[in-house]
Amino acid sequence: MLTIDELKLKIDNNSRLLGLDIGSKNIGVSICDNKRLIATPMKVIRFTNLTELIKDIHKITLDNNIKGLIIGNPVNMDGTIGKSSQSVKDKSIEISNNLNIPVALWDERLSTVGAFNLASQLDINVSKKTKNIDKNAAAFILQGAIDYLNN
């Protein structure tokens, strides 16, 4: 597992990245273009077990020429590591150990709120907002990381 700055050194300027918002039941997935300008919501994976999740992520990385993975880290608002953050970190370590691409955690505080608010600004109805919240949160996380990488 790498820091975001270490990940930047491991990828070239034309590398597509995958973003994950790991929840207990659903995993939001997003992807960015090869210039790393725009993160796009991709899909939601229903979490059954870590082995299946790793297989799904591996397939997505191969099918989309992904060179790095950004995983949202749900740290507490005060910056401390809570139960959710530790769970994501544990899963991220396993994912990192089983993929041949660099993996970094990204502070995802307020990503779900941000994704929901963005959908509100776009005048999307509530049922569509909640249906897509996981993949939209993943895109919000990935967009924050690629904006950081580009600056």
Side-chain angles (χ1 to χ4, degrees):
M1 188 95 67
L2 305 172
T3 67
I4 193 77
D5 292 314
E6 292 168 333
L7 179 130
K8 186 175 184 173
L9 298 173
K10 299 260 184 195
I11 57 176
D12 64 37
N13 290 334
N14 292 318
S15 297
R16 293 183 87 186
L17 302 176
L18 195 70
L20 298 181
D21 179 34
I22 298 180
S24 59
K25 296 177 185 173
N26 293 321
I27 313 299
V29 181
S30 64
I31 193 168
C32 72
D33 59 298
N34 65 335
K35 296 290 184 191
R36 291 196 313 266
L37 298 175
I38 299 172
T40 305
M42 184 179 199
K43 66 187 286 184
V44 175
I45 299 171
R46 182 87 173 129
F47 183 76
T48 54
N49 64 61
L50 199 50
T51 303
E52 288 303 312
L53 176 60
I54 291 168
K55 284 180 189 176
D56 289 343
I57 295 168
H58 186 253
K59 181 175 180 358
I60 293 168
T61 61
L62 292 177
D63 291 348
N64 294 282
N65 196 29
I66 301 297
K67 300 298 182 188
L69 180 59
I70 305 292
I71 299 175
N73 185 10
V75 297
N76 293 325
M77 289 305 290
D78 64 2
T80 59
I81 305 289
K83 191 175 178 181
S84 294
S85 180
Q86 188 59 53
S87 175
V88 166
K89 187 174 181 183
D90 293 343
K91 288 174 182 161
S92 299
I93 290 168
E94 282 302 311
I95 292 167
S96 179
N97 289 340
N98 286 282
L99 293 180
N100 290 325
I101 60 172
V103 176
L105 290 176
W106 180 255
D107 184 343
E108 72 158 56
R109 280 180 270 191
L110 299 178
S111 63
T112 301
V113 173
F116 194 84
N117 289 341
L118 181 60
S120 295
Q121 292 173 8
L122 297 173
D123 198 27
I124 297 170
N125 71 40
V126 172
S127 64
K128 283 189 179 179
K129 279 189 259 189
T130 54
K131 177 184 174 194
N132 295 319
I133 197 69
D134 296 308
K135 66 182 179 181
N136 289 343
F140 197 85
I141 291 163
L142 182 57
Q143 189 67 52
I146 62 176
D147 287 348
Y148 177 86
L149 291 169
N150 290 331
N151 288 327

